Structures are given as C-alpha cells and as structure tokens.
Amino acid sequence: MDTRSNNALAFDVTHRLVLAIAIPMTLGFLTTPLLGLTSTAVVGHMGDPEALAGLAIGAMLFDLILGSFNFLRASTTGLTAQAYGRRDRHEQQAVFWLALISALGCGLALLCLSPLLKAAGLRLMGAEGAIAEATGTYFSIRMLAAPAALANYAILGFVLGRGQGSVGLLLQALINGINILLSIYLGLSLGWGVAGVAWATMAGETAGALAGLFIVLSGFARAERPAWSEIFSRHCLAELFALNRDILIRTFVLIGAFAIMTRIGTGFGAVTLAANAVLMNFFLLSGYYLDGLANAAEQITGRAVGARYRPAFDRGLKLTTFWSFGLAALVSTFFLLAGPWLISVLTTSPEVRQAAATYLPWAAVTGLTGALAFLMDGVFIGATWSADMRNRMLMSFAGYLAMLAVFVPLFGNHGLWLAMNAFLLFRGFFLATLVRPRADQTFRAAQ
C-alpha cells in the first residue's frame, strides 16, 4: 500500500535529501572552528600564554552569554520547518518576523548590560592580571556585535527550517571568511592581537546580518505578508515563549558545562588552560561537522511533523544516524593521527604543545562520544519536543557534575576531559530512549 496516497503533503527522504542539507551546512559550520583555529593561532603566535588564556576565557564568556540565546535559531528552525511541511508560507513569514524582532531586542539589551556582564564574568572565571586584561579587551569589543550576532541566529534558523542549506553555507562563509581575514590582518599584520581578533568578529557578524536580511526579504511575497496582529498574537507568543524557555534552559546548562570546564582548567595554571583551549578547537571542529547532519535532522523531522507523515520521520532518523556515526568515526581518526601537527600549528609555546599532546586523545574522541547527542538535538528541535530536551539536559548535567567531583581530584585534567566525554554520552543516550514513544504520541495525535 502506498502510504503517500493518504497524505498530499507526503515527501520522500533519501540520502540525497539528507546530504543536500548536511553538506552545505557542514562546509559552512566548518568555517566557524577554522575561525577559532585562526584566532588561537594569531594570539598563540604572539608567544604569550597569558594572552592565549585570556582569549580562551573571553571567548567562553561570550559564548556563555550569547550562546544562551541559541534558542532563537533552534525555535525558528523547528517552527519554520513545520510550517514548511504544511506548505504555509504565510506562517513562515510570521515566524521569521517574530524571531528577528526578538533577536534584535535581546541583542540591544545585552549591549546595554555588557559592562556588568564583563565584571561578573571576570569574577566568575577567576581571571587576574594579564589574563583578566586580555579577557576584558576581547569581551568588550566583541559584545558590540551582539545585536547582529543574534539577528544571524534568527536568519540562519529560518533558512535551515526551509532546507536552504546553500544559503546557510553562503552566510556562514561570509561571516567567518571576513572574520578570518580581518583576524589575520588586524591581529598579526597590524599587531592588535586580542583586540584585532575581536574587531574582526564584529565586522563579520554585521556583514552577515545585512546580507542575510537582503536574501530572506527578497524571497518574501507581499501577498503572504502577515499583519502585526498575527505576528504578535497570543497563540504565537505563547508557543514561542514555551519553546524558547525550554531551549534557553537547555542551552544555558550546555554552555555552563563548558564554562565549568574552563573554570576548573584555570586552576591548573595558564599552560594547561591554554592547552585545553587549543584542544577545544578539535572538539568544536568535530561538533560543527556533526551539526550539519543535526540540521538535516531538524529540517526533515520538523517537515515530517508539519506534514503529519510518519514514514518520512522514521526514514530521516535512520539516514541521519548512519551518516552521523560514519562521519564521527572519520573525524576522530583524523584528529588522532593529525593532532600533533595541528597543535604545532596553533601555538609556538613548547610548554603548551607538550601539554596539549598529552590530552589529545580525549579531545579526538569527542566526535564519537558526541555523535548521538548532536543528532538527538536535531530531532528534538525539529519536532519541538523542547520540554524533553530541557529535562534530559538537566539529567545529563547532574551526571557530569558527579563525574567531575569523582575524577578531577583523582586524575586532574585527564579527569576533566573524561567527565566531558561522559557528559556527551549521557546527552545522547537519555534523549534516544525517548524518540519512539514521543514519535508515536505526536503522529497518533496528528491522525
């Protein structure tokens, strides 16, 4: 029996469809860790461990604050994908405008609060002396880009929800390409160091936001434009608030886990902290590869839920799982083999190189330990099962804290990396156990 015959919104999920979304976004996200590698290399070649440690703390603080607003991208992707599955272009526009206005409002609020946030962040991370000075310089300049950075979350979420991976690639390449080139020019050629890296980030985010707005608005039809009363209707606001609240809690806990790792690493001294900063680029690189497939899972899952078509959901889950673990194995193998060379490229400090090589295996396997977590995030975002994401993240975080309490005193920095890998495994496993019952419930209710 042809299951498509009972559903006019049915669609096929193939390897080609998965890769058509995943490959462009993987390439686009690849530019982000390359940016991190470039920033680390620019400051690392100054031969100053304190400056490199300050950059690591400043970047972590910014990610802790701005990354907490990742719900703007995630919720926009899920809601847009479901509207796309229903072929409701009117609702797609309404989702975009509400997300963009929310992003700009949050960005301006962060900009106004940036002095207080910087002071609190320095106290939280325990930075002092030259490290605190470098952290403050980076954070103050980069926070100027907060409105543009959050607008880019909304724009990227919208294009991903529509399955426009090539547009996402273009925007990510533009943002990070400008950032990389200016980081080298301002940081090394002009000798601005940490400040040059921060100014380059601001320029890239602003250029990306302007380009993204032009692309998205060019595709909007006047006849499908929603009224302001529709955009800010009680139903839309309530749905978005509930979704964003859960994803906000989940994201804040996730970023907090990395902040705790950096804070504990600070206690091991500048050399170990700098080594961890180098190795975190390997984890981020693995993550951004896997994020491309997570985005494919988001779009296909959300579209299937919007279309009320279970076969597409099941097929999408199967294919994205296959590609996620295959890619994770390749990336982990690459870092195990090429890691020592990459470390030597990123820093000229002999002490940092030696420390980073010691802990390299832990960072190299994060692709494998985190593959299921990234994939499940995509599935749950697309299906807008946000409460489950929040609850399972809290469970995983509790396990992470327990691992830190036990293994850091026993094994030092080795214990710190062990706990991080366990945290990734917890996240994936706890969410995977819920997929089938939640899918049964969702599609049964849609019938």
Side-chain angles (χ1 to χ4, degrees):
M1 178 180 177
D2 183 5
T3 57
R4 293 172 59 92
S5 61
N6 297 323
N7 190 339
L9 302 178
F11 63 99
D12 291 324
V13 178
T14 63
H15 288 285
R16 182 175 182 179
L17 176 62
V18 171
L19 296 178
I21 301 171
I23 291 177
M25 289 316 305
T26 296
L27 294 175
F29 287 138
L30 177 60
T31 63
T32 298
L34 285 178
L35 168 61
L37 292 171
T38 301
S39 300
T40 302
V42 166
V43 178
H45 276 74
M46 297 170 60
D48 184 357
E50 284 76 16
L52 185 56
L55 173 66
I57 294 176
M60 177 57 70
L61 285 176
F62 189 82
D63 289 342
L64 174 63
I65 295 169
L66 207 67
S68 298
F69 289 84
N70 189 52
F71 61 81
L72 292 167
R73 188 209 65 78
S75 62
T76 304
T77 299
L79 294 174
T80 301
Q82 292 185 17
Y84 183 78
R86 292 188 292 269
R87 301 179 188 172
D88 188 341
R89 297 180 64 87
H90 184 86
E91 185 180 349
Q92 291 174 48
Q93 283 200 34
V95 170
F96 173 76
W97 284 116
L98 185 54
L100 180 64
I101 292 169
S102 300
L104 292 175
C106 292
L108 291 173
L110 286 178
L111 185 56
C112 294
L113 293 172
S114 59
L116 295 176
L117 293 171
K118 181 179 72 173
L122 290 174
R123 180 182 295 272
L124 173 68
M125 303 308 291
E128 297 179 350
I131 294 178
E133 182 179 356
T135 298
T137 298
Y138 178 86
F139 184 86
S140 296
I141 297 172
R142 190 171 177 186
M143 189 57 76
L144 297 174
L150 292 184
N152 284 323
Y153 282 2
I155 294 168
L156 182 61
F158 180 77
V159 300
L160 288 179
R162 290 176 50 82
Q164 296 174 311
S166 59
V167 176
L169 168 60
L170 173 64
L171 294 177
Q172 290 298 295
L174 177 65
I175 294 169
N176 294 323
I178 290 174
N179 201 333
I180 289 171
L181 292 176
L182 286 181
S183 290
I184 296 172
Y185 176 68
L186 298 177
L188 285 180
S189 299
L190 297 186
W192 291 9
V194 172
V197 170
W199 282 114
T201 301
M202 180 183 174
E205 294 283 5
T206 302
L210 293 175
L213 282 173
F214 176 78
I215 292 171
V216 170
L217 297 183
S218 296
F220 282 171
R222 184 183 299 271
E224 297 162 349
R225 181 180 302 169
W228 290 110
S229 59
E230 294 176 284
I231 296 174
F232 293 103
S233 70
R234 179 176 297 181
H235 170 72
C236 290
L237 289 173
E239 181 181 32
L240 189 65
F241 175 79
L243 185 59
N244 284 346
R245 177 201 61 209
D246 294 334
I247 299 177
L248 170 62
I249 295 171
R250 169 260 178 197
T251 303
F252 188 79
V253 172
L254 177 61
I255 299 299
F258 295 119
I260 290 173
M261 182 177 182
T262 302
R263 180 65 181 88
I264 293 175
T266 303
F268 296 140
V271 171
T272 299
L273 179 61
N276 285 348
V278 170
L279 294 176
M280 280 301 293
N281 285 291
F282 297 173
F283 166 70
L284 292 174
L285 186 59
S286 299
Y288 283 116
Y289 270 119
L290 295 171
D291 258 341
L293 285 157
N295 290 149
E298 289 177 25
Q299 203 278 335
I300 293 169
T301 296
R303 184 180 175 186
V305 170
R308 302 182 178 184
Y309 189 56
R310 178 66 181 268
F313 179 93
D314 292 336
R315 177 69 172 168
L317 180 61
K318 179 180 179 180
L319 295 188
T320 52
T321 300
F322 168 80
W323 285 105
S324 291
F325 278 95
L327 181 60
L330 289 175
V331 172
S332 294
T333 301
F334 171 76
F335 283 132
L336 285 172
L337 297 176
W341 175 79
L342 291 173
I343 291 170
S344 68
V345 171
L346 291 174
T347 178
T348 58
S349 169
E351 297 88 351
V352 175
R353 285 180 176 180
Q354 182 178 0
T358 299
Y359 305 113
L360 171 62
W362 292 112
V365 299
T366 52
L368 279 173
T369 57
L372 187 59
F374 282 94
L375 177 63
M376 288 297 103
D377 281 349
V379 171
F380 279 70
I381 287 172
T384 61
W385 298 331
S386 59
D388 291 321
M389 290 184 66
R390 176 199 65 205
N391 295 339
R392 289 310 193 258
M393 177 60 75
L394 291 172
M395 290 172 57
S396 302
F397 186 67
Y400 173 60
L401 293 179
M403 296 287 286
L404 289 173
V406 172
F407 291 108
V408 170
L410 291 175
F411 305 116
N413 201 49
H414 284 289
L416 185 60
W417 279 100
L418 171 61
M420 176 53 63
N421 278 277
F423 177 56
L424 296 173
L425 289 171
F426 292 154
R427 288 174 52 207
F429 175 77
F430 290 155
L431 286 174
T433 59
L434 281 179
V435 170
R436 185 167 296 278
R438 288 294 179 266
D440 290 342
Q441 181 182 23
T442 298
F443 287 99
R444 184 166 54 247
Q447 291 176 355

